[in-house]
Amino acid sequence: MEYNLADLFESVVDVVPDREALVYVDHPGTGAERRLTYRQLDEAANRLAHHLIDAGLEPGEHLGLHLYNGVEYLQTVLAALKARLVPVNVNYRYVEEELVYLYRDADLAALVFDAEFTQRVAGALPQTEKLRHLVRVGPVQDGTPALAATAFAEAEAAGSPERGFAPRSADDLFIIYTGGTTGMPKGVMWRQEDLFFAGLFGGDPAGEPVQRPEELAERVAKGGAGLTFFPAPPLMHGTSTLTSFVAFDYGQRVVIHRKYVPEEVLRTIEREKVTSVSLVGDAMLRPLVDALRGPLKGTDLSSLFTVSSSGAIMSETVRAQFQALAPNVLILNNFGSSESGSNGKATDDSGPEKGFRLEVNERTRVVDPVTHEPVAVGEAGRLAQRGHVPLGYYNDPAKTAETFFQKGPERWVLLGDMATVDEDGIVTVLGRGSQCINTGGEKVYPEEVEQALKSHPDVYDALVAGVPDATWGSHVAAVVQIRDGAVRPTLDDIQTHCRTRLAGYKVPRQLVIAPSIQRSPSGKADYRWARTVATEADAH
């Protein structure tokens, strides 16, 4: 047995086959749900895997998942891994042109898609010559083009529930496409062994990684049930899928919703006795606060042990608001990326005054981006991670060469985040280098300004971008969404508030009030949108 994700999953199934593995709520509030034990989920994945093999797909070929959250999503990931196909996540918000790019860039040979996306899939298909096998989840939609797609239920019914697969390898790939905040999406290529240790904590986020593949099931057999993981963001983003696999490696239960509805999330936490919820930043935590203060006041959260975020920061202000409503819950700002897995977690004193401070793992360093040598205390550099890192970006040797490097016997990945390190080894993340605003020769990172803005009592959400300026090169612009019922603040109000938390050159010189802040479905910042909105407002 190797550190292969399908092998590891099957080893857990064999020791806790009748334990509940997955609870899926289709449309929150309707009561429609599905519950699968480990054995049932394993057999369902086997059926789809055999169908894919019978359809002529070969080991190493790429399978796209163009799906909302659902049993079918995790079932398809497992089926791909079992059949030694490479799962590739597809952002379901992409329009036809973006889908053509991703389908082609990823060299998709097969695609499993929700029926709602038929129109877009049909539009992209003629330009993606390698894509030859389609599986449709859900009934044919009225008025959509006819596609030569196998119904998911038929694919399941045709496949055997038994295993009987060829031997697998720790070198089998898992690709995570990441859009980041700028540029076209890039496919991060992980060996499954590396992903197991870097993204799944080696089978134990709270303790020591396993030393042998067989040890994973041995630990599960000795432990009991009782933990329920609730990845609330879309599974199409790597964080939620990896969180699900962390739970499977524990032999514990996963709960998922089709879409993020804050009130239903809270009801599910109460009903299913959820112990751990993962979110993405304020965009997902703040609506929970609003619901707990309003229609869901008094919800029983006694089972909840942790609320964690990765991919975006939960600000000090919103964390404090949630903590007041759920004082016994541990709130964690985790830090990681599709290129590194986990890097560490925020310190308790992270916030607008001291910045976003991290306790990083022993594989993470702050290095000079040119020499790759560690920076001196207080000197700015780039975050980097060594050891279990990806092989590179699929179909992008130039970007791979820029981002991944060899130093001595180890492979490293150079992340996009600028940071400093203090004498105690605490890392302060300054922000993405690509989003850094140069104003009069001073560098301003949007994240620290956004933290200050969100601490204003009338600000609901905010993004910060640089706008061209004849005097300063660029000036700091704040795009702000105001709380319902709040008094509309002026630029002077915002500046006065920020000056108590930021150096003068970081204080916004422009304020744009927007009806809402545009973010990805998982809550990640859309800086291109913010820059466009601020630049257009400045021109008028």
Side-chain angles (χ1 to χ4, degrees):
M1 183 175 171
E2 299 192 35
Y3 289 109
N4 175 279
L5 300 185
D7 286 348
L8 293 168
F9 176 77
E10 290 174 355
S11 73
V12 171
V13 171
D14 290 342
V15 295
V16 289
D18 298 320
R19 185 179 293 178
E20 196 164 67
L22 183 60
V23 176
Y24 167 60
V25 180
D26 187 358
H27 294 286
T30 66
E33 66 179 33
R34 289 180 65 188
R35 294 175 181 270
L36 286 83
T37 64
Y38 272 89
R39 178 188 285 113
Q40 290 169 333
L41 180 56
D42 186 56
E43 291 178 350
N46 291 340
R47 288 181 178 278
L48 183 60
H50 283 298
H51 164 80
L52 295 169
I53 293 169
D54 293 342
L57 293 166
E58 300 286 343
E61 289 196 295
H62 294 183
L63 169 69
L65 293 92
H66 191 166
L67 297 164
Y68 286 122
N69 284 9
V71 169
E72 293 87 357
Y73 198 107
L74 292 172
Q75 179 182 349
T76 301
V77 174
L78 286 165
L81 300 176
K82 285 170 173 284
R84 300 193 71 187
L85 302 174
V86 181
V88 175
N89 56 313
V90 178
N91 190 322
Y92 57 66
R93 290 186 65 180
Y94 282 172
V95 296
E96 183 179 312
E97 183 178 344
E98 293 166 311
L99 291 175
V100 169
Y101 169 82
L102 193 149
Y103 290 178
R104 290 173 62 94
D105 188 71
D107 288 325
L108 294 188
L111 180 72
V112 180
F113 67 97
D114 265 315
E116 291 97 315
F117 307 128
T118 299
Q119 190 80 42
R120 279 178 263 176
V121 173
L125 195 59
Q127 302 175 69
T128 53
E129 59 278 355
K130 292 185 179 180
L131 183 49
R132 65 183 191 272
H133 185 65
L134 302 176
V135 178
R136 185 193 66 252
V137 177
V140 175
Q141 304 285 297
D142 291 340
T144 56
L147 285 179
T150 302
F152 194 92
E154 293 177 9
E156 266 194 307
S160 167
E162 305 300 323
R163 292 175 185 167
F165 300 105
R168 310 180 188 107
S169 168
D171 293 323
D172 289 349
L173 291 182
F174 193 115
I175 292 182
I176 301 173
Y177 263 78
T178 174
T181 54
T182 60
M184 297 302 286
K186 304 179 294 295
V188 183
M189 296 187 294
W190 283 94
R191 292 176 61 253
Q192 290 188 30
E193 178 175 346
D194 291 327
L195 185 59
F196 174 72
F197 284 102
L200 305 179
F201 306 95
D204 190 355
E208 291 295 321
V210 299
Q211 301 299 308
R212 300 172 290 108
E214 295 78 12
E215 187 182 345
L216 188 74
E218 292 168 4
R219 291 185 181 188
V220 171
K222 291 178 181 177
L227 299 179
T228 298
F229 292 70
F230 189 174
L235 290 162
M236 69 172 180
H237 291 288
T239 297
S240 284
T241 295
L242 296 185
T243 298
S244 300
F245 272 78
V246 168
F248 293 152
D249 286 346
Y250 264 162
Q252 302 298 323
R253 186 170 66 152
V254 175
V255 171
I256 54 174
H257 279 184
R258 182 175 177 81
K259 295 182 180 178
Y260 185 72
V261 180
E263 292 81 6
E264 296 305 329
V265 167
L266 292 170
R267 291 189 178 102
T268 294
I269 291 171
E270 182 177 62
R271 183 180 65 253
E272 299 295 335
K273 305 301 179 188
V274 171
T275 53
S276 178
V277 174
S278 56
L279 307 170
V280 180
D282 286 352
M284 298 188 84
L285 181 62
R286 190 187 296 105
L288 294 184
V289 171
D290 293 343
L292 285 169
R293 286 173 166 174
L296 271 296
K297 186 176 181 179
T299 300
D300 181 6
L301 302 181
S302 59
S303 66
L304 194 59
F305 181 67
T306 63
V307 171
S308 63
S309 174
S310 61
I313 299 169
M314 294 185 290
S315 67
E316 182 181 42
T317 302
V318 181
R319 292 199 319 268
Q321 292 168 350
F322 185 82
Q323 197 76 79
L325 296 164
N328 296 322
V329 176
L330 180 64
I331 304 175
L332 300 173
N333 261 324
N334 295 324
F335 190 84
S337 70
S338 300
E339 289 88 347
S340 66
S342 175
N343 296 100
K345 61 184 179 66
T347 61
D348 292 336
D349 60 357
S350 283
E353 294 183 6
K354 292 189 176 183
F356 186 47
R357 289 159 48 82
L358 292 176
E359 296 175 359
V360 296
N361 59 41
E362 57 90 25
R363 298 186 298 112
T364 301
R365 297 285 185 274
V366 181
V367 303
D368 184 290
V370 177
T371 66
H372 300 152
E373 292 298 321
V375 299
V377 169
E379 182 181 336
R382 292 261 295 274
L383 276 175
Q385 186 150 320
R386 61 182 173 85
H388 290 291
V389 301
L391 300 176
Y393 295 113
Y394 187 72
N395 262 346
D396 197 340
K399 190 66 177 176
T400 296
E402 291 176 13
T403 307
F404 299 88
F405 62 92
Q406 192 79 21
K407 186 178 178 184
E410 291 187 301
R411 186 165 171 78
W412 289 70
V413 57
L414 191 64
L415 305 178
D417 299 279
M418 301 295 293
T420 60
V421 62
D422 67 16
E423 58 275 1
D424 297 321
I426 299 297
V427 168
T428 299
V429 179
L430 303 174
R432 299 293 272 181
S434 59
Q435 302 305 326
C436 181
I437 303 166
N438 190 321
T439 177
E442 297 282 6
K443 292 182 178 180
V444 179
Y445 293 92
E447 289 92 336
E448 58 180 335
V449 184
E450 291 161 6
Q451 287 255 358
L453 288 167
K454 290 176 184 178
S455 65
H456 190 288
D458 296 328
V459 172
Y460 188 77
D461 199 1
L463 291 179
V464 169
V467 172
D469 188 292
T471 302
W472 304 106
S474 294
H475 66 249
V476 178
V479 183
V480 167
Q481 178 183 345
I482 302 303
R483 290 185 176 278
D484 290 342
V487 177
R488 185 185 180 101
T490 65
L491 177 60
D492 284 344
D493 295 333
I494 292 295
Q495 289 178 332
T496 299
H497 175 81
C498 288
R499 283 194 181 100
T500 65
R501 293 162 171 78
L502 299 170
Y505 66 89
K506 299 177 183 178
V507 173
R509 297 295 188 268
Q510 179 189 353
L511 175 65
V512 180
I513 305 296
S516 61
I517 295 297
Q518 183 166 305
R519 294 179 178 272
S520 75
S522 68
K524 287 187 177 181
D526 188 339
Y527 285 113
R528 283 176 290 182
W529 171 84
R531 189 175 298 108
T532 298
V533 168
T535 301
E536 290 177 351
D538 186 60
H540 293 88

